[in-house]
Amino acid sequence: MTDRTTIFHLSDIHFGLADDRALDWVKQEIAEKRPAAVAITGDLTMRARHREFGAATHWINSLDVPVTVEVGNHDMPYFNLIERFTTPYKRFRGMADKVEREIDLPGLAIVPLKTVRRWQPRWPWSHGWVTDAALDRTLSAIDRLPRGTRALVACHHPLVEAGTKGKAWTRGGDKALAELARRKVLATLSGHVHDAFDIVRDTPEGPVRMIGAGTLSQRIRSTPQSFNELTWNGSTIEVQVRNIDDVPTEAMQVDEVPEDAMPPREPDEPVAPVATVPRVDPPVH
Ligand SMILES: [Fe+2]
Ligand SMILES: [Fe+2]
């Protein structure tokens, strides 16, 4: 067993509207640091198009490290409602089957929790929802882990709000978080809100740590493109938010979004991303 294990937590790459500069930077970081695993917590694509999943497959396979992927609300068919209702995860699974590899971490397991639904009795369908069936699958996977193995639960939506500008509105999140607290999971890893956070939430069953990764897409919210570098020393996880513009980590780990989370702009720099990003569709979350 090595003393320290590094895991890169990436999220919301949104192939179709990814930020190429951020992807090149992360790829370079992975090549240099060779993390033991890369966990990607959903929204791999923008609109679940075949070509977007193709680009995701190509990029992930080029990393040449063990990767695990979770499904995000953007990864279900958006234009084809029949497919969305009948086989919502087929395109995602087609990609996941090509990129996921066995992950072997010392004393640690990454356990998935599905927080997306093909439809919901509320609008928009992009919000989080932990069904009883999804929670049961995750809890039994945790219960089956070898004694002494800690779980990192990877999901797309934060289970409860984490103080970020973007919201997840996850139904069933409080209950899920309490069950995870009861099982003393090491942390939840999530995405969706496009800003990074690292907080502890109290539940009736005790505290749970919630770690959120930012985005590597052009759809930034309060902070520049980022990913989380997690370091596991056998008992605790250390989180460092790595961002492309070198904003200090504290400003990136938002609880209440700070005014100065974005880097200061040079006076002659155009007020960019929003104006230059091609708006394909209105954002859905
Ligand atoms: Fe997203
Ligand atoms: Fe999302």
Side-chain angles (χ1 to χ4, degrees), residues 12-61:
D12 296 76
I13 304 176
H14 287 291
F15 281 95
L17 208 57
D19 186 288
D20 290 338
R21 190 171 70 107
L23 287 188
D24 290 347
W25 163 67
V26 173
K27 187 171 172 175
Q28 182 66 27
E29 289 289 328
I30 289 171
E32 283 172 16
K33 291 220 167 175
R34 303 294 306 166
V38 173
I40 308 179
T41 49
D43 279 0
L44 275 294
T45 68
M46 191 57 212
R47 289 288 174 239
R49 296 177 179 97
H50 292 291
R51 66 173 179 274
E52 295 170 352
F53 278 121
T57 303
H58 180 77
W59 187 78
I60 295 171
N61 279 334

Side-chain angles (χ1 to χ4, degrees), residues 12 14 42-43 73-74 156 192-194 215 219 285:
D12 296 76
H14 287 291
D43 279 0
N73 53 293
H74 278 257
H156 180 58
H192 185 69
V193 293
H194 291 204
T215 183
R219 307 176 82 214
H285 65 252

Side-chain angles (χ1 to χ4, degrees), residues 159-160 173-183 200-210:
L159 297 180
V160 299
D174 283 315
K175 176 183 169 188
L177 208 57
E179 288 298 327
L180 298 179
R182 194 138 72 92
R183 284 160 177 82
V200 175
R201 278 289 180 260
D202 279 323
T203 80
E205 302 289 342
V208 194
R209 189 167 178 188
M210 296 172 58

Side-chain angles (χ1 to χ4, degrees), residues 129-190:
W129 194 308
V130 183
T131 62
D132 287 344
L135 181 59
D136 285 348
R137 279 197 300 276
T138 299
L139 297 180
S140 41
I142 293 171
D143 293 341
R144 286 197 308 271
L145 291 175
R147 184 180 288 271
T149 300
R150 302 289 303 276
L152 279 173
V153 174
C155 51
H156 180 58
H157 297 82
L159 297 180
V160 299
E161 306 304 345
T164 52
K165 189 173 175 186
K167 304 294 178 214
W169 308 113
T170 305
R171 284 266 175 95
D174 283 315
K175 176 183 169 188
L177 208 57
E179 288 298 327
L180 298 179
R182 194 138 72 92
R183 284 160 177 82
K184 302 206 172 355
V185 304
L186 200 55
T188 60
L189 305 181
S190 60

